[in-house]
Amino acid sequence: TDIFNITRNPTITVDSGKGASVKPFIVNGQIRSVIVQSSGSGYVSQPSIEILTGPDSNGFGAELIPIIVDGRLSEVIVKNGI
């Protein structure tokens, strides 16, 4: 077996996509749905969605599932809105 380029490390890059933006629809402190405002581009896997609350808020526990179709954010499913 021959090994080529043994002294040269490969370059690996991951294209994680960019430009997607969403807006939550909140009722009584719970996320009921999420509107995709911009679908972005270049997504090769499901991105994680971070939910940030304001300094005066104690929200936690919501789970959102992003759906990627053809490298773009298609929709966001609310698994748990609390």
Side-chain angles (χ1 to χ4, degrees):
T1 303
D2 293 327
I3 300 175
F4 297 98
N5 296 325
I6 192 167
T7 59
R8 187 173 140 202
N9 290 327
T11 300
I12 300 172
T13 59
V14 177
D15 185 5
S16 61
K18 62 181 177 179
S21 65
V22 297
K23 183 173 184 172
F25 179 65
I26 299 172
V27 176
N28 294 327
Q30 294 186 349
I31 299 174
R32 296 291 185 198
S33 65
V34 177
I35 299 166
V36 176
Q37 294 182 309
S38 174
S39 59
S41 63
Y43 293 95
V44 294
S45 64
Q46 191 179 53
S48 61
I49 295 180
E50 184 176 16
I51 302 167
L52 303 175
T53 60
D56 297 330
S57 177
N58 60 357
F60 64 92
E63 294 179 70
L64 305 177
I65 302 170
I67 304 299
I68 302 300
V69 176
D70 295 329
R72 302 172 77 80
L73 180 63
S74 172
E75 67 178 301
V76 177
I77 297 171
V78 178
K79 181 176 178 183
N80 184 355
I82 60 172

